PDB file of all heavy atoms in Angstrom:
ATOM      1  N   GLY A  24     -46.826  17.658   8.422  1.00 92.00           N
ATOM      2  CA  GLY A  24     -46.446  18.992   7.937  1.00 92.00           C
ATOM      3  C   GLY A  24     -45.001  19.085   7.484  1.00 92.00           C
ATOM      4  O   GLY A  24     -44.647  19.943   6.684  1.00 92.00           O
ATOM      5  N   SER A  25     -44.151  18.213   7.989  1.00 90.00           N
ATOM      6  CA  SER A  25     -42.737  18.258   7.599  1.00 90.00           C
ATOM      7  C   SER A  25     -42.522  17.702   6.200  1.00 90.00           C
ATOM      8  O   SER A  25     -41.471  17.904   5.596  1.00 90.00           O
ATOM      9  CB  SER A  25     -41.897  17.455   8.585  1.00 90.00           C
ATOM     10  OG  SER A  25     -42.141  16.067   8.432  1.00 90.00           O
ATOM     11  N   GLY A  26     -43.519  16.955   5.687  1.00 90.00           N
ATOM     12  CA  GLY A  26     -43.366  16.300   4.377  1.00 90.00           C
ATOM     13  C   GLY A  26     -42.613  15.004   4.482  1.00 90.00           C
ATOM     14  O   GLY A  26     -42.441  14.286   3.499  1.00 90.00           O
ATOM     15  N   MET A  27     -42.160  14.671   5.680  1.00 92.00           N
ATOM     16  CA  MET A  27     -41.430  13.416   5.888  1.00 92.00           C
ATOM     17  C   MET A  27     -41.999  12.674   7.093  1.00 92.00           C
ATOM     18  O   MET A  27     -41.283  12.037   7.836  1.00 92.00           O
ATOM     19  CB  MET A  27     -39.945  13.688   6.087  1.00 92.00           C
ATOM     20  CG  MET A  27     -39.283  14.231   4.857  1.00 92.00           C
ATOM     21  SD  MET A  27     -37.562  14.468   5.104  1.00 92.00           S
ATOM     22  CE  MET A  27     -37.235  15.674   3.849  1.00 92.00           C
ATOM     23  N   GLY A  28     -43.308  12.813   7.277  1.00 92.00           N
ATOM     24  CA  GLY A  28     -43.973  12.093   8.347  1.00 92.00           C
ATOM     25  C   GLY A  28     -44.519  10.785   7.817  1.00 92.00           C
ATOM     26  O   GLY A  28     -44.073  10.281   6.785  1.00 92.00           O
ATOM     27  N   LYS A  29     -45.499  10.214   8.500  1.00 91.00           N
ATOM     28  CA  LYS A  29     -46.187   8.978   8.128  1.00 91.00           C
ATOM     29  C   LYS A  29     -45.221   7.854   7.783  1.00 91.00           C
ATOM     30  O   LYS A  29     -44.753   7.164   8.660  1.00 91.00           O
ATOM     31  CB  LYS A  29     -47.187   9.215   6.986  1.00 91.00           C
ATOM     32  CG  LYS A  29     -48.156   8.064   6.806  1.00 91.00           C
ATOM     33  CD  LYS A  29     -49.098   8.294   5.652  1.00 91.00           C
ATOM     34  CE  LYS A  29     -49.898   7.035   5.412  1.00 91.00           C
ATOM     35  NZ  LYS A  29     -49.880   6.613   4.069  1.00 91.00           N
ATOM     36  N   THR A  30     -44.844   7.686   6.530  1.00 92.00           N
ATOM     37  CA  THR A  30     -43.982   6.554   6.155  1.00 92.00           C
ATOM     38  C   THR A  30     -42.497   6.868   6.341  1.00 92.00           C
ATOM     39  O   THR A  30     -41.649   6.005   6.116  1.00 92.00           O
ATOM     40  CB  THR A  30     -44.224   6.145   4.690  1.00 92.00           C
ATOM     41  OG1 THR A  30     -44.044   7.294   3.865  1.00 92.00           O
ATOM     42  CG2 THR A  30     -45.623   5.585   4.497  1.00 92.00           C
ATOM     43  N   SER A  31     -42.177   8.075   6.727  1.00 91.00           N
ATOM     44  CA  SER A  31     -40.796   8.490   6.991  1.00 91.00           C
ATOM     45  C   SER A  31     -39.838   8.182   5.842  1.00 91.00           C
ATOM     46  O   SER A  31     -38.798   7.565   6.028  1.00 91.00           O
ATOM     47  CB  SER A  31     -40.284   7.849   8.283  1.00 91.00           C
ATOM     48  OG  SER A  31     -41.079   8.230   9.360  1.00 91.00           O
ATOM     49  N   THR A  32     -40.214   8.577   4.651  1.00 91.00           N
ATOM     50  CA  THR A  32     -39.422   8.468   3.404  1.00 91.00           C
ATOM     51  C   THR A  32     -39.214   7.026   2.930  1.00 91.00           C
ATOM     52  O   THR A  32     -38.450   6.798   2.003  1.00 91.00           O
ATOM     53  CB  THR A  32     -38.029   9.147   3.509  1.00 91.00           C
ATOM     54  OG1 THR A  32     -37.178   8.356   4.342  1.00 91.00           O
ATOM     55  CG2 THR A  32     -38.112  10.554   4.041  1.00 91.00           C
ATOM     56  N   ARG A  33     -39.938   6.044   3.541  1.00 92.00           N
ATOM     57  CA  ARG A  33     -39.731   4.647   3.147  1.00 92.00           C
ATOM     58  C   ARG A  33     -40.727   4.163   2.099  1.00 92.00           C
ATOM     59  O   ARG A  33     -40.626   3.020   1.657  1.00 92.00           O
ATOM     60  CB  ARG A  33     -39.820   3.748   4.380  1.00 92.00           C
ATOM     61  CG  ARG A  33     -38.620   3.875   5.299  1.00 92.00           C
ATOM     62  CD  ARG A  33     -38.846   3.093   6.557  1.00 92.00           C
ATOM     63  NE  ARG A  33     -37.632   2.990   7.347  1.00 92.00           N
ATOM     64  CZ  ARG A  33     -36.862   1.906   7.409  1.00 92.00           C
ATOM     65  NH1 ARG A  33     -37.179   0.832   6.732  1.00 92.00           N
ATOM     66  NH2 ARG A  33     -35.787   1.900   8.158  1.00 92.00           N
ATOM     67  N   GLY A  34     -41.699   4.958   1.743  1.00 92.00           N
ATOM     68  CA  GLY A  34     -42.708   4.518   0.775  1.00 92.00           C
ATOM     69  C   GLY A  34     -43.729   3.617   1.449  1.00 92.00           C
ATOM     70  O   GLY A  34     -43.784   3.524   2.665  1.00 92.00           O
ATOM     71  N   HIS A  35     -44.567   2.941   0.658  1.00 94.00           N
ATOM     72  CA  HIS A  35     -45.633   2.087   1.188  1.00 94.00           C
ATOM     73  C   HIS A  35     -45.250   0.621   1.093  1.00 94.00           C
ATOM     74  O   HIS A  35     -44.915   0.140   0.019  1.00 94.00           O
ATOM     75  CB  HIS A  35     -46.932   2.333   0.414  1.00 94.00           C
ATOM     76  CG  HIS A  35     -47.492   3.689   0.662  1.00 94.00           C
ATOM     77  ND1 HIS A  35     -48.178   4.028   1.784  1.00 94.00           N
ATOM     78  CD2 HIS A  35     -47.439   4.835  -0.088  1.00 94.00           C
ATOM     79  CE1 HIS A  35     -48.540   5.288   1.737  1.00 94.00           C
ATOM     80  NE2 HIS A  35     -48.097   5.807   0.605  1.00 94.00           N
ATOM     81  N   LYS A  36     -45.354  -0.079   2.166  1.00 93.00           N
ATOM     82  CA  LYS A  36     -45.167  -1.536   2.267  1.00 93.00           C
ATOM     83  C   LYS A  36     -43.873  -2.035   1.609  1.00 93.00           C
ATOM     84  O   LYS A  36     -43.038  -1.265   1.175  1.00 93.00           O
ATOM     85  CB  LYS A  36     -46.385  -2.274   1.688  1.00 93.00           C
ATOM     86  CG  LYS A  36     -47.666  -2.031   2.431  1.00 93.00           C
ATOM     87  CD  LYS A  36     -48.754  -2.918   1.858  1.00 93.00           C
ATOM     88  CE  LYS A  36     -50.075  -2.708   2.565  1.00 93.00           C
ATOM     89  NZ  LYS A  36     -51.139  -3.477   1.939  1.00 93.00           N
ATOM     90  N   GLY A  37     -43.697  -3.316   1.574  1.00 92.00           N
ATOM     91  CA  GLY A  37     -42.549  -3.923   0.910  1.00 92.00           C
ATOM     92  C   GLY A  37     -41.365  -4.125   1.834  1.00 92.00           C
ATOM     93  O   GLY A  37     -41.338  -3.666   2.978  1.00 92.00           O
ATOM     94  N   GLN A  38     -40.387  -4.831   1.323  1.00 92.00           N
ATOM     95  CA  GLN A  38     -39.217  -5.226   2.113  1.00 92.00           C
ATOM     96  C   GLN A  38     -38.462  -4.027   2.671  1.00 92.00           C
ATOM     97  O   GLN A  38     -38.007  -4.040   3.807  1.00 92.00           O
ATOM     98  CB  GLN A  38     -38.291  -6.060   1.216  1.00 92.00           C
ATOM     99  CG  GLN A  38     -37.161  -6.729   1.940  1.00 92.00           C
ATOM    100  CD  GLN A  38     -36.394  -7.690   1.041  1.00 92.00           C
ATOM    101  OE1 GLN A  38     -36.504  -7.632  -0.166  1.00 92.00           O
ATOM    102  NE2 GLN A  38     -35.629  -8.568   1.633  1.00 92.00           N
ATOM    103  N   TRP A  39     -38.348  -2.968   1.879  1.00 92.00           N
ATOM    104  CA  TRP A  39     -37.563  -1.812   2.306  1.00 92.00           C
ATOM    105  C   TRP A  39     -38.307  -0.948   3.313  1.00 92.00           C
ATOM    106  O   TRP A  39     -37.690  -0.117   3.979  1.00 92.00           O
ATOM    107  CB  TRP A  39     -37.162  -0.983   1.088  1.00 92.00           C
ATOM    108  CG  TRP A  39     -36.260  -1.742   0.187  1.00 92.00           C
ATOM    109  CD1 TRP A  39     -36.595  -2.380  -0.952  1.00 92.00           C
ATOM    110  CD2 TRP A  39     -34.868  -1.987   0.380  1.00 92.00           C
ATOM    111  NE1 TRP A  39     -35.517  -3.003  -1.512  1.00 92.00           N
ATOM    112  CE2 TRP A  39     -34.431  -2.776  -0.697  1.00 92.00           C
ATOM    113  CE3 TRP A  39     -33.946  -1.622   1.358  1.00 92.00           C
ATOM    114  CZ2 TRP A  39     -33.121  -3.204  -0.828  1.00 92.00           C
ATOM    115  CZ3 TRP A  39     -32.633  -2.044   1.216  1.00 92.00           C
ATOM    116  CH2 TRP A  39     -32.239  -2.823   0.142  1.00 92.00           C
ATOM    117  N   ALA A  40     -39.628  -1.107   3.437  1.00 93.00           N
ATOM    118  CA  ALA A  40     -40.408  -0.309   4.372  1.00 93.00           C
ATOM    119  C   ALA A  40     -40.402  -0.906   5.773  1.00 93.00           C
ATOM    120  O   ALA A  40     -40.695  -0.235   6.738  1.00 93.00           O
ATOM    121  CB  ALA A  40     -41.843  -0.193   3.874  1.00 93.00           C
ATOM    122  N   ARG A  41     -40.081  -2.172   5.899  1.00 93.00           N
ATOM    123  CA  ARG A  41     -40.161  -2.860   7.186  1.00 93.00           C
ATOM    124  C   ARG A  41     -38.913  -2.581   8.040  1.00 93.00           C
ATOM    125  O   ARG A  41     -37.841  -2.297   7.519  1.00 93.00           O
ATOM    126  CB  ARG A  41     -40.262  -4.371   6.963  1.00 93.00           C
ATOM    127  CG  ARG A  41     -41.194  -4.772   5.854  1.00 93.00           C
ATOM    128  CD  ARG A  41     -42.523  -5.244   6.384  1.00 93.00           C
ATOM    129  NE  ARG A  41     -43.382  -5.704   5.300  1.00 93.00           N
ATOM    130  CZ  ARG A  41     -44.610  -5.258   5.114  1.00 93.00           C
ATOM    131  NH1 ARG A  41     -45.125  -4.349   5.918  1.00 93.00           N
ATOM    132  NH2 ARG A  41     -45.338  -5.715   4.122  1.00 93.00           N
ATOM    133  N   SER A  42     -39.056  -2.744   9.348  1.00 91.00           N
ATOM    134  CA  SER A  42     -37.898  -2.556  10.224  1.00 91.00           C
ATOM    135  C   SER A  42     -36.962  -3.741  10.039  1.00 91.00           C
ATOM    136  O   SER A  42     -37.416  -4.885   9.974  1.00 91.00           O
ATOM    137  CB  SER A  42     -38.349  -2.434  11.678  1.00 91.00           C
ATOM    138  OG  SER A  42     -38.327  -3.668  12.325  1.00 91.00           O
ATOM    139  N   GLY A  43     -35.687  -3.465   9.928  1.00 91.00           N
ATOM    140  CA  GLY A  43     -34.710  -4.524   9.668  1.00 91.00           C
ATOM    141  C   GLY A  43     -34.780  -5.040   8.253  1.00 91.00           C
ATOM    142  O   GLY A  43     -34.188  -6.063   7.922  1.00 91.00           O
ATOM    143  N   GLY A  44     -35.512  -4.347   7.383  1.00 90.00           N
ATOM    144  CA  GLY A  44     -35.708  -4.815   6.008  1.00 90.00           C
ATOM    145  C   GLY A  44     -34.531  -4.509   5.117  1.00 90.00           C
ATOM    146  O   GLY A  44     -33.575  -3.855   5.504  1.00 90.00           O
TER     147      GLY A  44
END
Side-chain angles (χ1 to χ4, degrees):
S25 71
M27 293 182 202
K29 194 182 172 231
T30 55
S31 300
T32 73
R33 288 173 169 257
H35 292 282
K36 296 186 180 175
Q38 190 172 17
W39 296 100
R41 317 259 183 233
S42 93

